[in-house]
Each structure stands twice: as structure tokens, then as C-alpha cells.
Amino acid sequence: MKKKVLIVDDQNGIRVLLMEVFSNEGYETYQASNGKLALEIARTHSPDLVLLDMKIPGMDGLDILKHLKNIDPSIKVIMMTAYGELDMIKEATDLGALMHFTKPFDIDELRMAVNTELKHDTSSGFAVGS
């Protein structure tokens, strides 16, 4: 079964770029431009990983993160921010975000981080080299 990635950002260009990148990586991708839509998609499609912008009009990234974790505590979340808001980044980490990327981010670094996180789930239980 394909892993699912939800991209939440109010900037259409970023959503389009990330949808293309992660579709090409073989993931089922979803996008949301606001928190309300993101939470509806999370409830309906149970994404494995969410790329979440910190600053979204209406409901900020921290609020969305809290709601996502209420829907599914095991959901993996990577924050994206255009700002160096260390206090918000620390709070996001405390709430369960795995990491954050500051915009403009290196798309290859983000792609590798997502692949690393989602490949962990597919471990067969065999120890390498045993």
C-alpha cells in the first residue's frame, strides 16, 4: 500500500511543487490550503506524514498540529516555516513534530527527510547483519 503524504500550506506554488515531488517519489499525496481542510483530509485519508506550514491564516500550524495528534497520535509531522521562530519551533517539537525546515528549504533535503521517516515504517523486523 502506498504511503500517504498531506501537504498543508497556504501558498499554492509550494503545494504544487511538493505534490509533484512526492507523487514522483511514489506517495499518495493530498493538499490543503488551510487548517479546516487539512483536518478533514486527515480524518478521511489517515496520512502517514504531514508537511505542515507554521503560518497559515485562520488556524496556525501549532493548532493544526495539536488537532492532528488528537486525530492520530502516531501521525508523523514535519513543520515548514518562513520564520526563525525558535519558540514556536520548540513548541511544535514538544507537541510531537519530528523536525522543521526553514523556507526556502532545500527540496532534496526535505525529500530525503520524508523518505527516511516513511521508510522506517516498512521495516520487516529483521535485523541487518545478524
Side-chain angles (χ1 to χ4, degrees), residues 36-89:
K36 185 175 182 296
L37 186 57
L39 297 175
E40 284 173 24
I41 292 169
R43 284 188 196 96
T44 311
H45 299 286
S46 303
D48 298 288
L49 187 140
V50 179
L51 292 169
L52 178 57
D53 189 22
M54 192 81 82
K55 286 283 187 188
I56 294 181
M59 187 187 298
D60 76 14
L62 293 175
D63 288 334
I64 298 168
L65 175 59
K66 288 174 194 166
H67 288 295
L68 286 170
K69 288 294 187 176
N70 283 336
I71 293 167
D72 178 2
S74 71
I75 201 164
K76 295 173 185 269
V77 180
I78 295 176
M79 303 300 293
M80 303 179 293
T81 178
Y83 311 92
E85 298 146 330
L86 292 174
D87 53 337
M88 282 182 81
I89 290 164

Side-chain angles (χ1 to χ4, degrees), residues 2-126:
K2 276 187 173 183
K3 296 284 185 182
K4 300 175 195 170
V5 176
L6 169 59
I7 297 148
V8 186
D9 198 305
D10 60 320
Q11 294 178 340
N12 185 54
I14 289 177
R15 288 197 317 275
V16 169
L17 171 70
L18 294 177
M19 290 279 291
E20 187 175 318
V21 167
F22 292 110
S23 292
N24 289 341
E25 288 292 308
Y27 298 113
E28 199 172 310
T29 54
Y30 302 89
Q31 63 171 316
S33 58
N34 61 58
K36 185 175 182 296
L37 186 57
L39 297 175
E40 284 173 24
I41 292 169
R43 284 188 196 96
T44 311
H45 299 286
S46 303
D48 298 288
L49 187 140
V50 179
L51 292 169
L52 178 57
D53 189 22
M54 192 81 82
K55 286 283 187 188
I56 294 181
M59 187 187 298
D60 76 14
L62 293 175
D63 288 334
I64 298 168
L65 175 59
K66 288 174 194 166
H67 288 295
L68 286 170
K69 288 294 187 176
N70 283 336
I71 293 167
D72 178 2
S74 71
I75 201 164
K76 295 173 185 269
V77 180
I78 295 176
M79 303 300 293
M80 303 179 293
T81 178
Y83 311 92
E85 298 146 330
L86 292 174
D87 53 337
M88 282 182 81
I89 290 164
K90 183 188 180 320
E91 190 176 345
T93 305
D94 292 345
L95 290 168
L98 299 170
M99 62 189 81
H100 75 278
F101 282 83
T102 304
K103 295 177 185 175
F105 43 75
D106 180 319
I107 196 71
D108 285 327
E109 283 180 20
L110 184 62
R111 186 176 51 77
M112 283 170 32
V114 169
N115 284 336
T116 300
E117 289 304 327
L118 292 179
K119 299 292 187 263
H120 281 279
D121 289 350
T122 59
S123 64
S124 57
F126 293 106

